[in-house]
């Protein structure tokens, strides 16, 4: 099983060092599950979540890209079973980079491997502190989240 989802509509991420915004994914590159399993992702209901349908070890990675602004920092995290809360569940990966006046800020999520149980789900969250809201940049290779079964 494996699933790759991406943002196809910009998300306004408010400024604030304590504010994590869940990232919705309205589009899929692929969602492949074992025969008889439900899809891992739904583009309408709880579309921030990629569900695990088969227990095992999973590789998780992705990327967040945020609009140009020279102030502050940008952060991305992936959480397990967070229920849409940037402090809920368990943090699996995080990346923080300084802002740039010369380019869009891309925040890759380092590939991590975790043992997950059927029914678990992962979500991506964004944070920034530029002093004003900033939009995410959309596209299948731009702001995305991927989950892939790598072993039992």
């Amino acid at each position: 099983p494996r699933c790759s989802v991406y943002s196809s509509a910009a998300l306004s991420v408010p400024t604030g060092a304590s504010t994590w915004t869940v990232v919705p994914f309205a589009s899929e590159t692929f969602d492949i599950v074992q025969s008889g399993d439900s899809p891992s992702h739904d583009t309408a209901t709880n579309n921030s979540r990629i569900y695990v349908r088969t227990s095992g070890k999973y590789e998780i990675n992705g990327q967040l890209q945020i609009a140009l602004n020279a102030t502050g920092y940008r952060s991305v995290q992936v959480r397990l079973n967070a229920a849409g809360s940037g402090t809920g569940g368990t943090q699996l990966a995080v990346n923080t980079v300084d802002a740039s006046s010369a380019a869009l800020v891309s925040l890759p999520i380092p590939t991590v491997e975790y043992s997950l149980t059927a029914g678990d789900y992962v979500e991506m969250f964004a944070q920034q502190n530029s002093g004003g809201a900033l939009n995410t940049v959309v596209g299948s290779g731009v702001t995305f989240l991927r989950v892939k079964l790598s072993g039992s």
Side-chain angles (χ1 to χ4, degrees):
R2 57 193 180 276
C3 184
S4 179
V5 297
Y6 64 95
S7 290
S8 54
L11 171 68
S12 179
V13 180
T15 190
S18 62
T19 303
W20 285 99
T21 302
V22 67
V23 178
F25 296 102
S27 299
E28 300 171 346
T29 306
F30 52 81
D31 185 356
I32 302 166
V33 296
Q34 293 181 344
S35 179
D37 282 349
S38 299
S40 296
H41 180 255
D42 187 312
T43 57
T45 304
N46 291 322
N47 68 349
S48 63
R49 300 176 181 183
I50 295 179
Y51 284 91
V52 170
R53 301 301 183 196
T54 302
S55 297
K57 289 190 182 196
Y58 282 80
E59 288 182 5
I60 302 161
N61 63 28
Q63 177 177 277
L64 174 74
Q65 196 170 86
I66 295 184
L68 182 69
N69 181 293
T71 304
Y73 65 85
R74 314 292 176 259
S75 292
V76 63
Q77 67 170 328
V78 174
R79 300 191 74 86
L80 174 66
N81 301 331
S85 168
T87 57
T90 303
Q91 186 181 70
L92 302 181
V94 65
N95 188 12
T96 300
V97 299
D98 289 330
S100 170
S101 61
L104 297 169
V105 175
S106 291
L107 294 113
I109 299 166
T111 299
V112 294
E113 188 174 64
Y114 280 91
S115 291
L116 303 176
T117 303
D120 285 344
Y121 61 90
V122 296
E123 294 176 290
M124 177 191 288
F125 296 85
Q127 182 186 73
Q128 59 89 18
N129 71 341
S130 67
L134 294 176
N135 285 341
T136 58
V137 181
V138 300
S140 62
V142 182
T143 297
F144 64 91
L145 182 61
R146 294 181 184 144
V147 177
K148 177 177 104 175
L149 181 66
S150 60
S152 54

